[in-house]
Amino acid sequence: MLIRDRLDVVFEDEDFADLYPRDGRPGLSPGQLALVSVLQFAENLSDRAAAHAVRTRIDWKYALGMELDDPGFDHSVLCEFRARLTEGDAANRLLQVMLNRLVEAGLLKAGGRQRTDATHVLAAVRRLSRLELAGESLRAALEQLAQAAPDWLLPLVEPEWDKRYGRKVEIGKVPGGKAGVTALAEAFGRDGCKVLAAAWAPDTPPRLRELPQVEILRRVWVHHYYWDARGRLRWRDGHALPPASLRFDSPYDTDAHYCVKRGTAWSGYRTHFTETCTSDLPEVVVHVATTIARSRTVSSPTRSTTTSPRPAWRRASTWSMPPT
C-alpha cells in the first residue's frame, strides 16, 4: 500500500506500449504486469502464487489500481510478459522508469553509498561431465553437418557411430575404471579428429568449417585433447586444462562456465546487483549486470584420470593435424 501512497502509478502503459501482445491475445496492461513482476520478485512468489495474489489480496489490488472484483489473469501471462521484456532493452527500461519515479518521490538521491554483490545464475542446459561434453559436442556437429552437407558427411560415418552418437550422449559408470574412461574419451577424440581433419581439407567447402557446432567441436578438442610426442591424440588431465572461465560446459551454450563461490558450484553465469545503502532511505537496486561466471579454480567438475605434460593450450588457437 505504501507503493501506491508514495509513488501513485509506478509504470504507465504509454512507457511500455510495445509490450502489448501482437498475436491477438487479450491486451493486458503492461504497466500492471510490470508492477506485478516487481512485487512477485520482492515476495519470492511463483507465477501461480503471484496470479493468485492479484485475484485475492487487497494490498496488491490497491498497488495495481485494480477494482476489488477484478478477476485478474492466468499465471501463464507472466511468463509470456517476461519473454517480451527480454527483447531489446525493455528490462533496462523497466528499471530506469522505476528509478526515475523513486527520484521524483525523494526515495533515491544521487551521491549516496552503494554496495555490489553477485549471485549465481544456472544455465538452461544439461550438466555434463567432461566425457559427456566431448561426446555431445561431436554429436551436435554431426547433426548440423548432416543437415548442411549429407553427401559430404556420409563417407566419413563409421558403423559404430550410430550407437555412439545416434542419441543424446549420457554416460554413467564406465566399465574398466580409469582406463575405461580414458579409452572412451580417446575414442571420441579419434572420431572428432576424423571430422575436423575432413572439414579442414583443401577440397572441403569453407562453409562447413564455419558452421557453429563445427567451430564448437574444434574448441572443445583444443581444450580437452593434445598430441603427444609420438603424434597420438591424448585426453588431457584435469589439472592441465585451461581455466574454467575460458572453457564452456555445454556445446549449446558457450557462455555457460563452471564456477565455485563459497562452496557453491554451478554452471552458468553471475548476476551483479548494485543497491543503495544510505541511512534513512530505502535500499534500492539501481543496477543489474549479468556476466560470465569467472572462477579462480582451474579444476573441472569431473576430472579425467590420465596424466599428461603441461599443455600448450594457450597457443592452440587453431585446429592442427598431429605432428609428423
Side-chain angles (χ1 to χ4, degrees):
M1 297 178 72
L2 290 175
I3 292 176
R4 191 72 178 185
D5 291 340
R6 296 291 297 272
L7 303 179
D8 194 19
V9 178
V10 181
F11 302 113
E12 299 280 359
D13 288 342
E14 291 77 6
D15 296 326
F16 303 98
D18 56 315
L19 297 183
Y20 278 103
R22 301 177 182 177
D23 55 3
R25 286 172 293 173
L28 296 172
S29 164
Q32 287 185 341
L33 293 177
L35 185 54
V36 169
S37 299
V38 173
L39 297 175
Q40 177 185 5
F41 177 81
E43 298 193 16
N44 193 26
L45 299 179
S46 66
D47 286 351
R48 288 182 182 273
H52 182 70
V54 171
R55 289 191 297 269
T56 61
R57 287 177 52 174
I58 295 178
D59 55 342
W60 277 47
K61 288 183 179 293
Y62 179 71
L64 294 167
M66 300 172 63
E67 299 292 337
L68 291 179
D69 58 353
D70 193 302
F73 47 78
D74 186 78
H75 69 277
S76 62
V77 170
L78 292 173
C79 180
E80 295 164 355
F81 178 72
R82 287 195 299 271
R84 295 196 294 276
L85 272 180
T86 60
E87 300 175 0
D89 65 342
N92 290 332
R93 186 156 31 108
L94 184 72
L95 177 60
Q96 191 58 53
V97 168
M98 184 177 68
L99 294 179
N100 292 341
R101 295 291 296 115
L102 291 172
V103 170
E104 293 171 3
L107 299 176
L108 183 62
K109 298 180 180 179
R113 297 177 60 189
Q114 298 180 351
R115 59 190 173 199
T116 300
D117 198 3
T119 187
H120 63 281
V121 178
L122 300 179
V125 294
R126 181 166 58 102
R127 184 72 176 270
L128 301 175
S129 67
R130 285 184 58 207
L131 196 59
E132 289 171 325
L133 173 63
E136 189 64 17
S137 298
L138 179 51
R139 188 184 78 86
L142 291 172
E143 289 285 344
Q144 197 165 66
L145 286 167
Q147 295 178 4
D151 295 335
W152 176 88
L153 178 63
L154 187 59
L156 299 176
V157 176
E158 299 179 7
E160 62 270 19
W161 285 16
D162 180 63
K163 182 177 180 181
R164 286 182 190 168
Y165 314 114
R167 60 181 64 188
K168 180 172 63 176
V169 177
E170 294 181 303
I171 301 173
K173 185 176 180 180
V174 178
K178 297 178 180 180
V181 170
T182 302
L184 181 55
E186 294 183 353
F188 287 158
R190 289 189 294 271
D191 295 342
C193 282
K194 183 177 181 180
V195 173
L196 291 170
W200 262 259
D203 58 344
T204 297
R207 64 182 179 86
L208 296 186
R209 50 181 169 268
E210 294 172 358
L211 292 173
Q213 292 300 336
V214 174
E215 170 59 18
I216 289 171
L217 176 66
R218 183 194 67 81
R219 292 170 61 187
V220 169
W221 259 232
V222 169
H223 293 163
H224 296 275
Y225 292 94
Y226 72 100
W227 299 107
D228 67 11
R230 297 183 179 181
R232 295 175 298 185
L233 191 73
R234 296 298 188 188
W235 180 241
R236 291 196 193 279
D237 179 70
H239 295 283
L241 294 170
S245 59
L246 298 182
R247 305 192 314 269
F248 45 85
D249 294 340
S250 170
Y252 306 109
D253 187 349
T254 56
D255 290 329
H257 297 272
Y258 175 74
C259 190
V260 177
K261 180 182 179 182
R262 297 176 189 152
T264 300
W266 76 96
S267 179
Y269 324 89
R270 281 188 177 184
T271 296
H272 304 261
F273 293 91
T274 300
E275 68 175 0
T276 60
C277 52
T278 304
S279 301
D280 303 325
L281 289 176
E283 296 179 354
V284 180
V285 174
V286 294
H287 186 262
V288 180
T290 300
T291 65
I292 68 169
R294 296 188 178 275
S295 176
R296 293 182 180 180
T297 180
V298 298
S299 60
S300 171
T302 304
R303 295 181 178 177
S304 67
T305 54
T306 61
T307 58
S308 66
R310 185 67 180 174
W313 54 264
R314 292 182 186 273
R315 301 189 299 273
S317 60
T318 58
W319 169 251
S320 61
M321 294 298 293
T324 57

